[in-house]
Amino acid sequence: MDEQLIFRYEIDGSNFTSAGEASVSVKKKLRQLGFAPEIIRRVSIAMYEGEINMVIHAHGGKAEVVVKNDRIEIILDDHGPGIPNIDLAMQEGFSTAPDNIRSLGFGAGMGLPNMKRYTDTMAIQTELGVGTRITMTVNI
Amino acid sequence: MKIKEIVRLLEADVLTCENLLDSDVYSACGSDMMSDVLAFVKDQGVLLTGLLNQQVVRTAEMMDMRCIVFVRNKRPGQEVLSLAEENGIVLLATAERMYEACGRLYTAGLIGGCTKPANTD
């Protein structure tokens, strides 16, 4: 059986200022576990972008990070509006974030592309009006 | 380049982590869009920005950046200062505008950090 560690977080969707706290916590835990800086950076950046997305678009959600023997999995679950067109959402520069988010430094349309860029696999399951689940893996 | 050299070049005020001014930094990036910062790998870099919220510090933390320079005389609030102190990130404030601040550092030999896309090495 695979040995594994699981970290679970509730992402508060009402507060943009606190967005990213879970990713910072994951980063610290992975550091304590002694992973290489590059692996830690990839996991935490991908999760950070996901967290920001959940706060901007989906009123928060749940995040789970699973450390396995050969990979780290990041699973982000929300009950937001869903993504109508994944291909479009994956294009760099495409964003549906409101203007006030742009003045906070996000909403450049780089979130999903960055998540893909930093991970080895990324799968998006989404249903309009129901929610979105994003599963990413980073090989160790 | 040592962070204290950045302080000198930009005539900057040191807002946090004065004990880390002897640390070395190897690249820099100027942006107000945090996702653009997150798109490129920068080892031990400096972030120059006009944005003042806590996400700037978290972005730097995610990218392992050691120093943030706030341009145009902007000063962050207490929460931002505390978060940076907690994470060992040096915050500096300069009166220079973004373009001039970047230019001074570049001319002094601190190269740009946004030239190497992630995952291509």
Side-chain angles (χ1 to χ4, degrees):
Chain A
M1 200 182 84
D2 272 359
E3 265 185 66
Q4 56 177 42
L5 269 172
I6 304 180
F7 306 117
R8 289 192 179 90
Y9 299 91
E10 294 281 338
I11 311 298
D12 177 3
S14 62
N15 187 354
F16 183 80
T17 351
S18 67
E21 279 176 354
S23 308
V24 171
S25 160
V26 165
K27 182 154 193 166
K28 287 182 177 148
K29 290 201 161 103
L30 295 179
R31 258 192 213 138
Q32 283 163 7
L33 291 168
F35 284 104
E38 186 58 28
I39 298 285
I40 298 174
R41 184 152 55 191
R42 289 173 58 202
V43 170
S44 51
I45 293 172
M47 178 161 167
Y48 181 52
E49 288 280 20
E51 238 191 297
I52 298 276
N53 272 352
M54 286 200 283
V55 173
I56 296 175
H57 298 289
H59 315 295
K62 286 185 167 56
E64 200 172 277
V65 176
V66 187
V67 181
K68 298 192 170 179
N69 285 334
D70 59 343
R71 65 189 186 276
I72 298 172
E73 282 180 5
I74 309 150
I75 301 144
L76 307 171
D77 251 317
D78 70 55
H79 298 291
I83 304 170
N85 185 333
I86 293 177
D87 288 341
L88 200 55
M90 288 303 300
Q91 281 179 21
E92 290 193 359
F94 177 82
S95 174
T96 56
D99 283 344
N100 68 317
I101 292 298
R102 237 155 262 146
S103 67
L104 294 167
F106 287 89
M110 295 297 285
L112 286 171
N114 275 351
M115 288 157 74
K116 190 175 172 64
R117 178 180 281 129
Y118 283 103
T119 53
D120 289 300
T121 68
M122 174 164 117
I124 303 176
Q125 295 162 274
T126 186
E127 197 174 331
L128 291 184
V130 178
T132 299
R133 164 179 274 222
I134 296 185
T135 309
M136 297 175 279
T137 62
V138 171
N139 296 333
I140 299 171
Chain B
M1 182 181 285
K2 295 209 181 296
I3 294 177
K4 67 181 177 194
E5 179 67 6
I6 295 176
V7 173
R8 191 185 66 79
L9 288 164
L10 301 182
E11 297 168 56
D13 291 335
V14 181
L15 309 180
T16 60
C17 297
E18 206 146 348
N19 55 320
L20 299 176
L21 294 183
D22 273 321
S23 311
D24 284 301
V25 289
Y26 300 104
S27 66
C29 171
S31 181
D32 289 348
M33 292 310 290
M34 293 303 107
S35 275
D36 285 344
V37 177
L38 289 163
F40 298 96
V41 171
K42 289 164 283 293
D43 247 332
Q44 279 177 279
V46 182
L47 172 62
L48 295 98
T49 187
L51 201 66
L52 288 174
N53 61 38
Q54 295 179 40
Q55 300 309 335
V56 175
V57 178
R58 291 218 179 87
T59 299
E61 165 74 7
M62 290 301 143
M63 298 303 284
D64 300 313
M65 298 174 105
R66 303 307 350 144
C67 175
I68 301 170
V69 180
F70 297 110
V71 296
R72 301 193 299 279
N73 253 335
K74 292 187 174 187
R75 304 281 161 148
Q78 190 52 48
E79 297 83 8
V80 172
L81 296 174
S82 308
L83 193 62
E85 196 71 56
E86 208 176 288
N87 288 293
I89 294 174
V90 181
L91 297 187
L92 307 177
T94 177
E96 298 289 339
R97 292 176 192 175
M98 176 76 97
Y99 184 74
E100 281 85 3
C102 293
R104 282 200 191 188
L105 298 186
Y106 197 95
T107 310
L110 190 65
I111 56 157
C114 293
T115 47
K116 188 179 105 179
N119 274 356
T120 54
D121 48 359

PDB file of all heavy atoms in Angstrom, chain B residues 1-2 49 52-53 56 63 65 76 80 87 90 94 113 116:
ATOM      1  N   MET B   1      23.957  40.693  -6.323  1.00  0.00           N
ATOM      2  CA  MET B   1      23.899  42.000  -5.670  1.00  0.00           C
ATOM      3  C   MET B   1      23.317  41.844  -4.266  1.00  0.00           C
ATOM      4  O   MET B   1      22.354  41.116  -4.080  1.00  0.00           O
ATOM      5  CB  MET B   1      22.990  42.936  -6.493  1.00  0.00           C
ATOM      6  CG  MET B   1      22.894  44.346  -5.935  1.00  0.00           C
ATOM      7  SD  MET B   1      21.780  45.389  -6.922  1.00  0.00           S
ATOM      8  CE  MET B   1      22.799  45.710  -8.367  1.00  0.00           C
ATOM      9  N   LYS B   2      23.921  42.517  -3.302  1.00  0.00           N
ATOM     10  CA  LYS B   2      23.383  42.433  -1.945  1.00  0.00           C
ATOM     11  C   LYS B   2      22.187  43.389  -1.793  1.00  0.00           C
ATOM     12  O   LYS B   2      22.132  44.421  -2.450  1.00  0.00           O
ATOM     13  CB  LYS B   2      24.475  42.777  -0.928  1.00  0.00           C
ATOM     14  CG  LYS B   2      25.609  41.768  -0.918  1.00  0.00           C
ATOM     15  CD  LYS B   2      26.264  41.683   0.447  1.00  0.00           C
ATOM     16  CE  LYS B   2      27.425  40.692   0.437  1.00  0.00           C
ATOM     17  NZ  LYS B   2      27.017  39.304   0.168  1.00  0.00           N
ATOM     18  N   THR B  49       7.235  46.706  -7.194  1.00  0.00           N
ATOM     19  CA  THR B  49       5.798  46.803  -7.462  1.00  0.00           C
ATOM     20  C   THR B  49       5.200  48.075  -6.867  1.00  0.00           C
ATOM     21  O   THR B  49       5.759  48.676  -5.949  1.00  0.00           O
ATOM     22  CB  THR B  49       5.061  45.551  -6.902  1.00  0.00           C
ATOM     23  OG1 THR B  49       3.699  45.580  -7.321  1.00  0.00           O
ATOM     24  CG2 THR B  49       5.120  45.495  -5.386  1.00  0.00           C
ATOM     25  N   LEU B  52       0.156  47.136  -2.980  1.00  0.00           N
ATOM     26  CA  LEU B  52       0.490  47.150  -1.551  1.00  0.00           C
ATOM     27  C   LEU B  52      -0.211  46.102  -0.709  1.00  0.00           C
ATOM     28  O   LEU B  52      -0.143  46.148   0.504  1.00  0.00           O
ATOM     29  CB  LEU B  52       0.099  48.523  -0.967  1.00  0.00           C
ATOM     30  CG  LEU B  52       0.967  49.705  -1.368  1.00  0.00           C
ATOM     31  CD1 LEU B  52       0.357  50.989  -0.825  1.00  0.00           C
ATOM     32  CD2 LEU B  52       2.385  49.549  -0.850  1.00  0.00           C
ATOM     33  N   ASN B  53      -0.905  45.132  -1.302  1.00  0.00           N
ATOM     34  CA  ASN B  53      -1.677  44.226  -0.444  1.00  0.00           C
ATOM     35  C   ASN B  53      -0.883  42.982  -0.019  1.00  0.00           C
ATOM     36  O   ASN B  53       0.248  42.771  -0.430  1.00  0.00           O
ATOM     37  CB  ASN B  53      -3.005  43.856  -1.116  1.00  0.00           C
ATOM     38  CG  ASN B  53      -2.800  43.141  -2.433  1.00  0.00           C
ATOM     39  OD1 ASN B  53      -1.893  42.332  -2.569  1.00  0.00           O
ATOM     40  ND2 ASN B  53      -3.627  43.460  -3.417  1.00  0.00           N
ATOM     41  N   VAL B  56       0.948  40.484  -2.403  1.00  0.00           N
ATOM     42  CA  VAL B  56       2.296  40.759  -2.911  1.00  0.00           C
ATOM     43  C   VAL B  56       3.316  39.953  -2.098  1.00  0.00           C
ATOM     44  O   VAL B  56       4.226  39.321  -2.654  1.00  0.00           O
ATOM     45  CB  VAL B  56       2.615  42.271  -2.822  1.00  0.00           C
ATOM     46  CG1 VAL B  56       4.046  42.544  -3.231  1.00  0.00           C
ATOM     47  CG2 VAL B  56       1.665  43.068  -3.691  1.00  0.00           C
ATOM     48  N   MET B  63       7.349  32.412  -4.668  1.00  0.00           N
ATOM     49  CA  MET B  63       8.427  32.397  -5.656  1.00  0.00           C
ATOM     50  C   MET B  63       9.804  32.368  -5.012  1.00  0.00           C
ATOM     51  O   MET B  63      10.811  32.500  -5.713  1.00  0.00           O
ATOM     52  CB  MET B  63       8.335  33.658  -6.538  1.00  0.00           C
ATOM     53  CG  MET B  63       7.068  33.785  -7.345  1.00  0.00           C
ATOM     54  SD  MET B  63       6.779  32.386  -8.426  1.00  0.00           S
ATOM     55  CE  MET B  63       7.942  32.689  -9.751  1.00  0.00           C
ATOM     56  N   MET B  65      11.168  34.679  -3.384  1.00  0.00           N
ATOM     57  CA  MET B  65      11.817  35.977  -3.562  1.00  0.00           C
ATOM     58  C   MET B  65      12.110  36.543  -2.180  1.00  0.00           C
ATOM     59  O   MET B  65      11.308  36.397  -1.263  1.00  0.00           O
ATOM     60  CB  MET B  65      10.912  36.919  -4.349  1.00  0.00           C
ATOM     61  CG  MET B  65      10.613  36.404  -5.741  1.00  0.00           C
ATOM     62  SD  MET B  65       9.417  37.448  -6.595  1.00  0.00           S
ATOM     63  CE  MET B  65      10.503  38.290  -7.732  1.00  0.00           C
ATOM     64  N   PRO B  76       3.141  50.201   2.760  1.00  0.00           N
ATOM     65  CA  PRO B  76       2.113  49.200   3.068  1.00  0.00           C
ATOM     66  C   PRO B  76       1.610  49.329   4.496  1.00  0.00           C
ATOM     67  O   PRO B  76       2.258  49.963   5.338  1.00  0.00           O
ATOM     68  CB  PRO B  76       2.851  47.881   2.882  1.00  0.00           C
ATOM     69  CG  PRO B  76       4.277  48.209   3.177  1.00  0.00           C
ATOM     70  CD  PRO B  76       4.488  49.642   2.763  1.00  0.00           C
ATOM     71  N   VAL B  80       0.654  43.892   6.180  1.00  0.00           N
ATOM     72  CA  VAL B  80       1.644  43.524   5.161  1.00  0.00           C
ATOM     73  C   VAL B  80       3.042  43.466   5.792  1.00  0.00           C
ATOM     74  O   VAL B  80       3.813  42.530   5.547  1.00  0.00           O
ATOM     75  CB  VAL B  80       1.606  44.535   3.990  1.00  0.00           C
ATOM     76  CG1 VAL B  80       2.741  44.290   3.016  1.00  0.00           C
ATOM     77  CG2 VAL B  80       0.263  44.438   3.269  1.00  0.00           C
ATOM     78  N   ASN B  87       7.745  36.019   7.370  1.00  0.00           N
ATOM     79  CA  ASN B  87       8.284  35.157   6.325  1.00  0.00           C
ATOM     80  C   ASN B  87       9.719  35.500   5.922  1.00  0.00           C
ATOM     81  O   ASN B  87      10.240  34.943   4.956  1.00  0.00           O
ATOM     82  CB  ASN B  87       7.377  35.204   5.089  1.00  0.00           C
ATOM     83  CG  ASN B  87       6.068  34.480   5.331  1.00  0.00           C
ATOM     84  OD1 ASN B  87       6.040  33.267   5.485  1.00  0.00           O
ATOM     85  ND2 ASN B  87       4.984  35.231   5.414  1.00  0.00           N
ATOM     86  N   VAL B  90      12.482  41.004   3.020  1.00  0.00           N
ATOM     87  CA  VAL B  90      12.870  42.399   3.229  1.00  0.00           C
ATOM     88  C   VAL B  90      11.949  43.306   2.421  1.00  0.00           C
ATOM     89  O   VAL B  90      11.811  43.136   1.216  1.00  0.00           O
ATOM     90  CB  VAL B  90      14.335  42.638   2.770  1.00  0.00           C
ATOM     91  CG1 VAL B  90      14.740  44.085   3.023  1.00  0.00           C
ATOM     92  CG2 VAL B  90      15.286  41.670   3.458  1.00  0.00           C
ATOM     93  N   THR B  94      10.883  53.118  -1.909  1.00  0.00           N
ATOM     94  CA  THR B  94      11.680  54.142  -2.582  1.00  0.00           C
ATOM     95  C   THR B  94      10.764  55.206  -3.186  1.00  0.00           C
ATOM     96  O   THR B  94       9.612  54.919  -3.524  1.00  0.00           O
ATOM     97  CB  THR B  94      12.563  53.530  -3.699  1.00  0.00           C
ATOM     98  OG1 THR B  94      13.256  54.573  -4.374  1.00  0.00           O
ATOM     99  CG2 THR B  94      11.722  52.782  -4.728  1.00  0.00           C
ATOM    100  N   GLY B 113      14.565  38.976 -14.341  1.00  0.00           N
ATOM    101  CA  GLY B 113      14.311  37.594 -13.962  1.00  0.00           C
ATOM    102  C   GLY B 113      13.226  36.961 -14.789  1.00  0.00           C
ATOM    103  O   GLY B 113      12.874  35.813 -14.587  1.00  0.00           O
ATOM    104  N   LYS B 116      13.283  33.525 -18.297  1.00  0.00           N
ATOM    105  CA  LYS B 116      13.314  32.057 -18.360  1.00  0.00           C
ATOM    106  C   LYS B 116      11.953  31.489 -17.955  1.00  0.00           C
ATOM    107  O   LYS B 116      11.607  31.474 -16.785  1.00  0.00           O
ATOM    108  CB  LYS B 116      14.387  31.535 -17.399  1.00  0.00           C
ATOM    109  CG  LYS B 116      14.646  30.041 -17.529  1.00  0.00           C
ATOM    110  CD  LYS B 116      15.746  29.599 -16.571  1.00  0.00           C
ATOM    111  CE  LYS B 116      15.177  28.867 -15.398  1.00  0.00           C
ATOM    112  NZ  LYS B 116      16.120  28.379 -14.441  1.00  0.00           N
TER     113      LYS B 116
END
